[in-house]
Amino acid sequence: MTTNHFTARYCSKSKAQEVKMFNSKMKMMGTTINVYSYLVDGMLIDSGPHRMKKAITDFCTQNRPDKIVHTHFHEDHTGNTAYLMKKFQVSAYVHPQSLDICHKKGSIPLYRLAFWGNRESFQAKALPDYIENTHTRFEVIHTPGHTSDHVVFLDRTEGRLFSGDLFVHHKTRVVRRKENIPRLMQSLRALLTESFDNVYCAHAGKIEHGYRLVEQKLSYLEELQGQILTLSHQGYETKVITQKLFPQTPIITYFSLGQFSAYHLVRSLIEDKI
C-alpha cells in the first residue's frame, strides 16, 4: 500500500479554499484501487478504509479537520471515522438513511473485509441541505444509485463537485450486487442540470472538465441499456447477454466471488426500477 498527499490549487479567494487530497493505492490479488479523501476549508470528505488509518491520521494531524462528511456509508468511505472523531474531537455527518447503519459496526463480505478492513461504529449527525464552512458553502445533493444514501457535495461558487462513487469511470463495466443503475442514471441526469467543471472522485481523483465526462458516462449507460434491453426482448438470458457484451472477466469478479461483476450491471439495467 502506497500513500500520497498533495494539494490541488485554484484561483480561489483564500488558501482555506484549496483542496487537499489524500490518496492510498490499495493492492491485492493483482488489483489496484485508488481511494481518495478530500479536505477543503476544514471539511474532510470521507475518511477512507480502515487499512489507511495511520496515513490518514497523519494527514489530518497536518491539516486539522473540523468536521467529517460522507458521500455514503460504505467502509472504504467511513473506515476511519470513529477513530478520527475521537482523536480530533469533531462531528461526523451522513445521509439520514445511514444513521442507524453507521451506529453499528460494519457487516461486510469477506472480500471487502480483506481489501478495506472493517468500520467501527460511530454516532453521526444527519447531513443538512447545505454545509456552511468558514469560507465555503456546499450544497448536499442526494444522488442514489450506487447506494440509496449516496450524496455529492457541490460548491457552486468555485464550480467543483465532490462526487464520491457516483462517477468512478465514464465506462462502467462492473458493479456491486445491490447497485441500482437506472436510479444512478437518474441521479446523473439531475446532476447535469447543475453547473460545475472540476470533479473530485473517490476513486479517480481530480478530474478536469468533469462535467463533460459525467455526460459521457450517462450517454454510455443509456446506449448500453438500449443494447441490453434489445437482446433481452430477443429472448437472451441475462448471463448470455453479459457474456456477449463483456466477454472478459476481471480479477475483482473472481476475488469477490461474483458479488462485483458485469452480470449485476446487466441485470440491473434489465430489472431495476427508478
Side-chain angles (χ1 to χ4, degrees):
M1 179 175 67
T2 58
T3 304
N4 300 297
H5 302 174
F6 51 96
T7 299
R9 297 185 180 275
Y10 292 89
C11 297
S12 300
K13 295 179 181 179
S14 72
K15 287 188 176 182
Q17 296 186 45
E18 293 172 352
V19 180
K20 297 181 179 181
M21 309 166 68
F22 172 85
N23 175 33
S24 275
K25 292 181 181 292
M26 314 292 291
K27 298 182 180 181
M28 185 174 289
M29 300 287 290
T31 298
T32 300
I33 300 179
N34 291 295
V35 185
Y36 292 86
S37 297
Y38 299 98
L39 194 144
V40 56
D41 197 10
M43 181 176 73
L44 179 66
I45 302 172
D46 292 334
S47 67
H50 190 67
R51 286 181 62 194
M52 285 188 194
K53 179 181 174 181
K54 183 182 185 305
I56 199 166
T57 299
D58 292 343
F59 173 77
C60 289
T61 298
Q62 295 171 17
N63 297 289
R64 289 288 173 174
D66 56 41
K67 66 178 72 68
I68 307 171
V69 301
H70 301 92
T71 56
H72 59 298
F73 72 89
H74 280 161
E75 67 281 352
D76 52 326
H77 298 258
T78 59
N80 298 296
T81 301
Y83 178 77
L84 295 176
M85 287 177 69
K86 293 176 183 177
K87 181 171 180 63
F88 297 103
Q89 294 297 296
V90 295
S91 296
Y93 299 83
V94 296
H95 188 275
Q97 291 184 19
S98 300
L99 293 172
D100 289 341
I101 294 174
C102 292
H103 195 45
K104 301 174 184 176
K105 186 174 181 178
S107 177
I108 59 177
L110 182 60
Y111 83 97
R112 284 162 53 184
L113 183 64
F115 209 99
W116 306 125
N118 208 345
R119 168 187 54 75
E120 294 299 322
S121 63
F122 61 94
Q123 186 70 54
K125 299 178 181 180
L127 278 166
D129 293 334
Y130 296 91
I131 300 172
E132 300 281 357
N133 299 309
T134 303
H135 303 91
T136 56
R137 184 176 192 263
F138 284 85
E139 182 174 355
V140 180
I141 303 175
H142 189 207
T143 51
H146 177 69
T147 58
S148 62
D149 72 319
H150 196 283
V151 302
V152 299
F153 302 102
L154 176 63
D155 178 354
R156 295 182 184 278
T157 302
E158 297 293 324
R160 52 191 175 184
L161 178 76
F162 294 82
S163 63
D165 283 357
L166 179 66
F167 175 75
V168 182
H169 196 275
H170 66 286
K171 287 191 175 182
T172 302
R173 299 185 184 278
V174 294
V175 302
R176 299 185 188 195
R177 180 172 55 85
K178 293 184 179 181
E179 293 190 53
N180 184 318
I181 305 306
R183 187 171 295 166
L184 184 144
M185 292 164 67
Q186 183 185 49
S187 292
L188 291 173
R189 291 187 189 101
L191 196 58
L192 287 169
T193 66
E194 304 288 350
S195 178
F196 58 90
D197 184 19
N198 293 310
V199 171
Y200 295 84
C201 176
H203 296 293
K206 176 202 160 191
I207 305 166
E208 294 183 351
H209 310 301
Y211 185 96
R212 185 174 61 203
L213 283 178
V214 172
E215 283 186 313
Q216 290 180 17
K217 182 181 181 78
L218 178 59
S219 295
Y220 164 79
L221 289 173
E222 289 175 337
E223 182 178 349
L224 180 64
Q225 186 177 41
Q227 294 175 329
I228 290 170
L229 292 178
T230 296
L231 291 170
S232 180
H233 292 154
Q234 291 174 355
Y236 289 98
E237 295 181 353
T238 302
K239 185 176 181 179
V240 176
I241 297 172
T242 303
Q243 292 171 341
K244 281 180 172 291
L245 298 179
F246 302 99
Q248 296 183 334
T249 303
I251 293 175
I252 188 63
T253 299
Y254 295 113
F255 179 56
S256 68
L257 301 179
Q259 294 187 50
F260 203 103
S261 71
Y263 176 85
H264 297 309
L265 173 60
V266 174
R267 182 208 54 75
S268 180
L269 287 170
I270 294 172
E271 298 177 6
D272 285 340
K273 306 301 179 185
I274 295 174

